[in-house]
C-alpha cells in the first residue's frame, strides 16, 4: 500500500476530474432532459417524434459507443474535440435521455386539476408549466435524479478510453508505471465508494428536507 500512499495526490486529482465531469455532464443533462420531457408532453407531433427518437437511440446504444462516436467519429467530418469537451458532450447527451424520462414521469404525476386551476386564475399554459408544474415535478424527481447522479459518477470511468485522466485513467497510468494492479484498483474502488456514499447521504438529506414541504 506504500505505493498507493505515495501516489495518492495523483489519484485525488483524478477523483477531482471525475467529480468535475459528473457535475458538468449532470447539469447540461438536466437541461436537456427537461427540454426533451416538455417536448414529449406539450410539443407538436414533430417535436414529440424527435424527442422520442432521441431517447430511443441514446437508451438503446452503449455509452461507450456514444463517447467514441463523439471523440473519434466526428473527426471524419472535420470536427476535432478535446478529450474533456468530448466527454462533457457525450455524457450530457447520454444522461439527458434518462433525465427526460424521469421528468416526464414526474410532470405527468402532477394532478391535471392544478393546471386547470392555474388556467382559471388567468395564467397561460406556459406560465402554469413554469410556475406550478415544473417546480413540483423537480421535487418529485429528486430521488430518481439522485440515483442517476450516482450512476453518472461511476459511468465517468468510461471516458478513460479517450485519454481523459479521471480516476480510472489515473489508476491505469500508475499500473503502467509500477506494474502492479491490485493496490491501485482497490484504491480507486474505495474512492468511488466513498464518493457514492457521500452523495447518497447528501441526496437523502435533500429528499427528506423537501418532503417536509
Amino acid at each position: 500500500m506504500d505505493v498507493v500512499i505515495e501516489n495518492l495526490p495523483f489519484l485525488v486529482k483524478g477523483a477531482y476530474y471525475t467529480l468535475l465531469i459528473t457535475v458538468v455532464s449532470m447539469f447540461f443533462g438536466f437541461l436537456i432532459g427537461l427540454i426533451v420531457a416538455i417536448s414529449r408532453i406539450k410539443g407538436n407531433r414533430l417535436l414529440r417524434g424527435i424527442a422520442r427518437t432521441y431517447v430511443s437511440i441514446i437508451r438503446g446504444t452503449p455509452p461507450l459507443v456514444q463517447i467514441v462516436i463523439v471523440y473519434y467519429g466526428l473527426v471524419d467530418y472535420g470536427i476535432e474535440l478535446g478529450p474533456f469537451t468530448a466527454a462533457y458532450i457525450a455524457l450530457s447527451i447520454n444522461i439527458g435521455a434518462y433525465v427526460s424520462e424521469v421528468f416526464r414521469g414526474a410532470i405527468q404525476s402532477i394532478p391535471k386539476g392544478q393546471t386547470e386551476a392555474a388556467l382559471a386564475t388567468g395564467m397561460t399554459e406556459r406560465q402554469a408549466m413554469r410556475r406550478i408544474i415544473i417546480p413540483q415535478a423537480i421535487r418529485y424527481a429528486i430521488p430518481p435524479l439522485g440515483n442517476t447522479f450516482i450512476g453518472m459518477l461511476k459511468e465517468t470511468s468510461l471516458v478513460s478510453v479517450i485519454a481523459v485522466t479521471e480516476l480510472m485513467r489515473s489508476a491505469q497510468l500508475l499500473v503502467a508505471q509500477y506494474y502492479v494492479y491490485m493496490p491501485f484498483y482497490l484504491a480507486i474502488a474505495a474512492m468511488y465508494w466513498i464518493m457514492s456514499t457521500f452523495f447518497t447521504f447528501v441526496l437523502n438529506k435533500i429528499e427528506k428536507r423537501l418532503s417536509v414541504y
Side-chain angles (χ1 to χ4, degrees):
M1 292 300 292
D2 290 342
V3 70
V4 172
I5 296 173
E6 180 183 344
N7 291 279
L8 191 58
F10 186 67
L11 292 175
V12 170
K13 185 178 180 181
Y16 163 76
Y17 285 124
T18 291
L19 289 174
L20 178 64
I21 294 168
T22 302
V23 171
V24 172
S25 301
M26 194 68 192
F27 173 76
F28 287 106
F30 182 95
L31 298 179
I32 292 170
L34 185 58
I35 293 170
V36 171
I38 294 173
S39 297
R40 290 194 66 179
I41 295 172
K42 299 294 183 179
N44 55 34
R45 181 177 297 180
L46 176 61
L47 283 177
R48 290 199 304 271
I50 293 173
R52 192 179 299 113
T53 301
Y54 157 72
V55 172
S56 176
I57 291 174
I58 296 302
R59 296 184 68 184
T61 54
L64 182 59
V65 173
Q66 298 163 18
I67 292 168
V68 171
I69 287 174
V70 172
Y71 186 65
Y72 293 108
L74 292 180
V75 174
D76 293 344
Y77 301 95
I79 303 174
E80 296 186 20
L81 301 173
F84 277 95
T85 304
Y88 293 145
I89 292 173
L91 293 180
S92 296
I93 291 173
N94 175 269
I95 204 66
Y98 294 91
V99 170
S100 72
E101 291 297 279
V102 171
F103 275 132
R104 188 167 68 94
I107 291 172
Q108 291 178 333
S109 71
I110 307 297
K112 292 184 178 180
Q114 295 198 24
T115 302
E116 295 170 356
L119 296 177
T121 63
M123 288 187 188
T124 64
E125 190 168 344
R126 181 174 297 181
Q127 289 174 328
M129 178 65 71
R130 188 176 71 250
R131 298 178 182 178
I132 307 296
I133 305 303
I134 291 179
Q136 293 185 77
I138 291 175
R139 188 181 68 186
Y140 292 155
I142 288 294
L145 284 178
N147 293 333
T148 303
F149 180 86
I150 300 301
M152 171 58 65
L153 178 68
K154 292 176 285 188
E155 205 167 271
T156 56
S157 62
L158 296 174
V159 301
S160 62
V161 301
I162 58 173
V164 174
T165 313
E166 43 66 69
L167 194 52
M168 183 66 180
R169 180 63 177 169
S170 298
Q172 291 172 345
L173 293 174
L174 291 173
V175 166
Q177 180 180 349
Y178 291 94
Y179 298 100
V180 290
Y181 292 84
M182 189 64 76
F184 293 119
Y185 287 133
L186 285 178
I188 66 168
M191 294 174 79
Y192 276 118
W193 175 73
I194 290 170
M195 290 188 290
S196 297
T197 302
F198 172 75
F199 283 111
T200 299
F201 174 78
V202 171
L203 290 166
N204 285 339
K205 288 291 185 182
I206 294 173
E207 182 183 350
K208 289 179 181 178
R209 186 68 178 268
L210 290 175
S211 67
V212 175
Y213 303 101

